[in-house]
Amino acid sequence: MLPIPIDLKEILKHYKTIAQHTHKGIQGHALLIAGSYGKIGAAVLASKAAIKSGCGLVTAFVPKCGYEIIQIAIPEVMVLTDMEEKYISKIAFEIQPQAIGIGPGIGQDEATQKAVHEFLENNKIPLIMDADALNILSQNKSWLSLLVSKTILTPHPKELERLIGKWTSEEEKFQKTIAFSKEYNLIVVMKGAPTHIIDGETIYQNTTGNAALATAGSGDVLTGIISSLLAQSYEPIQAAILGVYLHGLTADIALPETGYQSFIASDIISNIGKAFLSLDNSRK
Ligand SMILES: NC(=O)C1=CN([C@@H]2O[C@H](COP(=O)(O)OP(=O)(O)OC[C@H]3O[C@@H](n4cnc5c(N)ncnc54)[C@H](O)[C@@H]3O)[C@@H](O)[C@H]2O)[C@@H](O)CC1
Ligand SMILES: Nc1ncnc2c1ncn2[C@@H]1O[C@H](COP(=O)(O)OP(=O)(O)O)[C@@H](O)[C@H]1O
Ligand SMILES: [Mg+2]
């Protein structure tokens, strides 16, 4: 089947402008479970991207060593900490987020794997899983049946291979990903150049983005953007479509100023505003 292009026409079917009388209490609360010692940056990038993508509140759940880093780097974001200093060992919170993003920088410590398992057994909240959360799933495939329906997975090619096994052709890669998406009722964002989104038999192909995005933390930012959109009551497939489009668009907007080489993940975050504005302006 031919992929559906994720272009402006497709985006305007899904994109909702912000209501004038909204307030932070109804604008959505995203929880980002991220980071470990040496990779708290992943939690900073994901949670900053979330608050810059329109949700009303963002909380980061990190190991203790991340507490001051997040509070200083992004004062707008609230922080909850694990009992452990360097890695996540038990995911417990009393807040009621509308969406959860889990994985960037969490590592694969045995205690973290157990924490992810217990979390998945209990979670009913719309979910996006990335990075080490995907690697942990790959090592424990029976946990895939615990995921809430239409959970969004965002693997890069290596993470996808760990999840579905090797492929010998592009066609086989798509066939295997479609079968995987159908078996577990998941949305798979196959990150790459370009990114494809698989929702059962339906394939979408992104039209934004460029090689400037080949930089550390670029995927962590995407997780934050999609978590934010999910928290704002977009359906999972809409959040995935809009998220990858906006993420790519930031790089297209920034490229004339940064060039490919100097563009970094923080530049994605700095340009999210312009990306949203271009959608608003295209409606005028
Ligand atoms: N500042 C930070 O704290 C950062 C933390 N990060 C975290 O570090 C952890 C490890 O992530 P990594 O993705 O680096 O490690 P992985 O081992 O999952 O992926 C790296 C491997 O995948 C291959 N790969 C990646 N993209 C590919 C592509 N498009 N085509 C073919 N092969 C590809 C690479 O060649 C490499 O072999 C994750 O938890 C991640 O979230 C990274 O996002 C980097 C930044
Ligand atoms: N050459 C490229 N062209 C377009 N997009 C790219 C390119 N290289 C990487 N990307 C995008 O950048 C992101 C990289 O994600 P990921 O590999 O998870 O990074 P990290 O783990 O460092 O945060 C994905 O969204 C991917 O589609
Ligand atoms: Mg990644």
Side-chain angles (χ1 to χ4, degrees):
M1 206 177 67
L2 271 181
I4 299 169
I6 305 178
D7 53 15
L8 185 60
K9 184 168 160 248
E10 178 65 28
I11 286 301
L12 292 179
K13 290 185 203 162
H14 308 291
Y15 175 57
K16 298 179 274 197
T17 45
I18 301 287
Q20 285 310 306
H21 298 288
T22 190
H23 60 81
K24 68 180 181 193
I26 56 170
Q27 199 49 45
H29 186 171
L31 173 65
L32 273 306
I33 301 169
S36 59
Y37 184 80
K39 288 186 177 154
I40 296 300
V44 171
L45 290 167
S47 44
K48 187 162 186 187
I51 195 85
K52 289 278 278 179
S53 299
C55 62
L57 299 167
V58 174
T59 298
F61 184 96
V62 292
K64 272 206 177 78
C65 68
Y67 180 71
E68 288 186 30
I69 299 168
I70 308 255
Q71 291 271 264
I72 293 168
I74 343 160
E76 294 85 354
V77 166
M78 296 175 281
V79 189
L80 293 172
T81 57
D82 195 271
M83 294 171 297
E84 282 292 336
E85 187 65 28
K86 294 190 171 179
Y87 52 84
I88 289 169
S89 67
K90 186 169 176 61
I91 300 164
F93 51 86
E94 284 171 10
I95 56 171
Q96 290 179 315
Q98 282 73 47
I100 301 179
I102 183 168
I106 64 173
Q108 297 176 61
D109 190 282
E110 212 168 298
T112 306
Q113 300 210 20
K114 269 195 183 150
V116 168
H117 184 220
E118 196 181 277
F119 164 74
L120 293 178
E121 279 188 313
N122 296 301
N123 180 57
K124 305 267 185 296
I125 297 168
L127 183 65
I128 163 170
M129 301 184 76
D130 181 36
D132 288 317
L134 299 177
N135 295 329
I136 289 172
L137 272 183
S138 296
Q139 292 191 51
N140 302 279
K141 297 229 170 77
S142 64
W143 302 358
L144 281 161
S145 58
L146 300 173
L147 305 187
V148 288
S149 147
K150 300 292 179 190
T151 291
I152 302 167
L153 309 188
T154 58
H156 61 47
K158 194 78 199 170
E159 290 158 345
L160 183 66
E161 184 188 299
R162 292 175 188 134
L163 278 169
I164 66 168
K166 286 190 193 302
W167 52 83
T168 53
S169 66
E170 277 297 287
E171 199 191 340
E172 193 192 359
K173 178 175 78 175
F174 279 92
Q175 278 171 357
K176 289 183 96 161
T177 309
I178 288 169
F180 178 81
S181 160
K182 282 164 73 176
E183 180 174 0
Y184 298 105
N185 199 18
L186 305 170
I187 292 167
V188 185
V189 175
M190 301 163 76
K191 293 188 299 198
T195 289
H196 289 93
I197 300 176
I198 307 293
D199 183 10
E201 299 273 346
T202 312
I203 307 175
Y204 296 87
Q205 180 170 322
N206 193 27
T207 62
T208 59
N210 59 66
L213 290 167
T215 184
S218 181
D220 304 333
V221 170
L222 178 67
T223 298
I225 296 173
I226 297 177
S227 301
S228 184
L229 297 170
L230 259 186
Q232 292 168 69
S233 306
Y234 282 98
E235 291 300 318
I237 188 61
Q238 294 181 313
I241 289 172
L242 188 53
V244 300
Y245 182 87
L246 287 166
H247 180 261
L249 190 55
T250 64
D252 295 341
I253 292 169
L255 192 63
E257 277 181 31
T258 64
Y260 292 103
Q261 291 87 346
S262 90
F263 184 90
I264 57 172
S266 295
D267 294 318
I268 306 175
I269 298 174
S270 316
N271 283 283
I272 292 175
K274 285 184 186 158
F276 274 110
L277 275 175
S278 81
L279 297 188
D280 293 331
N281 290 334
S282 70
R283 279 226 168 111
K284 282 181 184 154

